[in-house]
Amino acid sequence: MLYILKHRQANIDYVSSVGNGFSESDFLNRSKGGPILLNGGGNFGDIWPALQKFREKIIKQYRDRSIVILPQTIYYSSEEALAQSAKVLNDHPDLTIFVRDDRSFAIAQEAFFKCKVYKAPDMAFQMVDLPNINLNPDRSNRTLYLSRKDVEMNQKFKSKNILVENLDVDDWISFNWMSKLPKDWIYIPGLVRLIREGWQRGLKTPQEWASRQGWQWLHPDSFMFNQVHRPELHRKSWGYMHSGIYQLQGYNLVITNRLHVHILCLILNIPHGLLPGSYYKIPAFYNTWTSEIPFCHLIEDANEIPDAIKKLTLLIGRKT
């Protein structure tokens, strides 16, 4: 959003989340022309089918509008699913696809041959030189393993296989409590939302909450949220970003299997070990863009983690 407003100096007429958050009547009433931008990330393909179905629904429905898919990793486990998506995308007269790595670029060029295809790094790199990004002065000498636990988790890198001393295992602080709830609780109507609202109000992390309020309301860029549709969605995302930065800055050393943790660690100058997920997303991105950065190591064998951590720890010593 900041990139569009600050660097492209373009207006944002309508904003929606996926699925039920989208209102066709509201969209048509607010947005009279101009391109439709679809979020980037790692959800292009059949590993997250609901997101792909929504993306293809918009592409089918709005053939009269230019559509731009922001930088994505493309992954299909099924050739049939890829062919079905290709038919939808190639039928659109003005569709642009940005991809985040060489492998996705090759897939897109071959499958989506009627679309405009470009390679570009992840949009999170627009945070470079973001003002007031140093949030958490309290650094721990422990190591953080910030690990996803969903379908993209590589089972070889479960926390029990990470043989590193003084290791804290967690996921993004903004939703890590989900994995700690009894499974039956997740299906109690309204309970998950109530707990997450409690986290957002600082009941779980009061120190981070206080810092987040200043970030959300006093940051030099926060005034821009008032210029766009549904500013509450942007402020909420802005708050999640603060929480991620605050969490990572509490450590001198990080291990992760999340691509956006890798990118944030690069921006924040935090040495880190990067682990692969369940498919090629992370190695493909690393090999395309970030393999020559000295304070990050791609670790593709769990047995190599202790040695990689020793090397990164020596690097921390040189930096201090």
Side-chain angles (χ1 to χ4, degrees), residues 136-298:
N136 188 357
D138 300 322
R139 296 280 176 132
S140 171
N141 289 324
R142 298 177 64 82
T143 298
L144 172 65
Y145 178 25
L146 199 154
S147 173
R148 68 188 314 143
K149 301 173 181 68
D150 56 22
V151 67
E152 293 192 38
M153 172 71 181
N154 187 321
Q155 298 303 310
K156 295 179 182 178
F157 295 96
K158 286 187 174 181
S159 57
K160 65 180 181 180
N161 299 327
I162 309 300
L163 303 179
V164 175
E165 294 182 357
N166 301 319
L167 187 70
D168 293 337
V169 181
D170 219 333
D171 203 345
W172 286 123
I173 195 172
S174 59
F175 58 81
N176 59 13
W177 48 266
M178 283 282 290
S179 63
K180 299 172 184 176
L181 293 178
K183 290 185 178 179
D184 292 343
W185 288 24
I186 295 174
Y187 301 101
I188 300 175
L191 181 62
V192 168
R193 181 173 181 177
L194 179 65
I195 295 174
R196 188 157 191 168
E197 289 295 317
W199 169 81
Q200 289 171 337
R201 285 167 171 75
L203 303 183
K204 174 72 174 174
T205 54
Q207 187 174 3
E208 185 272 330
W209 179 87
S211 174
R212 186 169 6 118
Q213 301 317 297
W215 173 269
Q216 287 184 292
W217 299 100
L218 301 176
H219 189 278
D221 291 332
S222 64
F223 75 95
M224 293 187 179
F225 299 132
N226 299 323
Q227 302 175 18
V228 296
H229 178 233
R230 299 189 71 182
E232 75 282 358
L233 286 182
H234 300 288
R235 287 196 188 279
K236 184 177 288 189
S237 296
W238 190 242
Y240 292 154
M241 185 168 70
H242 170 279
S243 300
I245 295 171
Y246 192 95
Q247 181 180 9
L248 293 176
Q249 285 183 336
Y251 293 86
N252 285 317
L253 185 62
V254 172
I255 304 169
T256 190
N257 56 18
R258 283 193 175 276
L259 182 59
H260 283 119
V261 175
H262 168 52
I263 294 172
L264 274 180
C265 283
L266 295 179
I267 293 171
L268 299 170
N269 271 327
I270 299 174
H272 59 289
L274 184 59
L275 308 179
S278 61
Y279 68 104
Y280 53 74
K281 178 175 76 176
I282 286 176
F285 186 90
Y286 176 85
N287 290 326
T288 302
W289 302 107
T290 60
S291 61
E292 296 186 11
I293 295 174
F295 60 90
C296 170
H297 294 331
L298 177 65

Side-chain angles (χ1 to χ4, degrees), residues 78-116:
S78 161
E79 290 292 332
E80 181 182 359
L82 174 57
Q84 291 172 352
S85 291
K87 185 178 187 312
V88 173
L89 273 60
N90 286 325
D91 279 347
H92 194 281
D94 189 5
L95 177 61
T96 300
I97 305 170
F98 286 92
V99 294
R100 302 190 296 190
D101 60 78
D102 291 328
R103 191 162 181 173
S104 297
F105 186 67
I107 293 170
Q109 281 195 312
E110 180 177 352
F112 311 125
F113 51 87
K114 290 191 177 179
C115 305
K116 295 182 282 290

Side-chain angles (χ1 to χ4, degrees), residues 1-10 12 37 70 123 126 224:
M1 190 277 290
L2 289 177
Y3 171 77
I4 296 169
L5 292 176
K6 289 178 68 173
H7 299 289
R8 303 303 300 175
Q9 297 183 343
I12 301 175
L37 302 184
L70 297 174
M123 291 294 292
Q126 297 302 320
M224 293 187 179

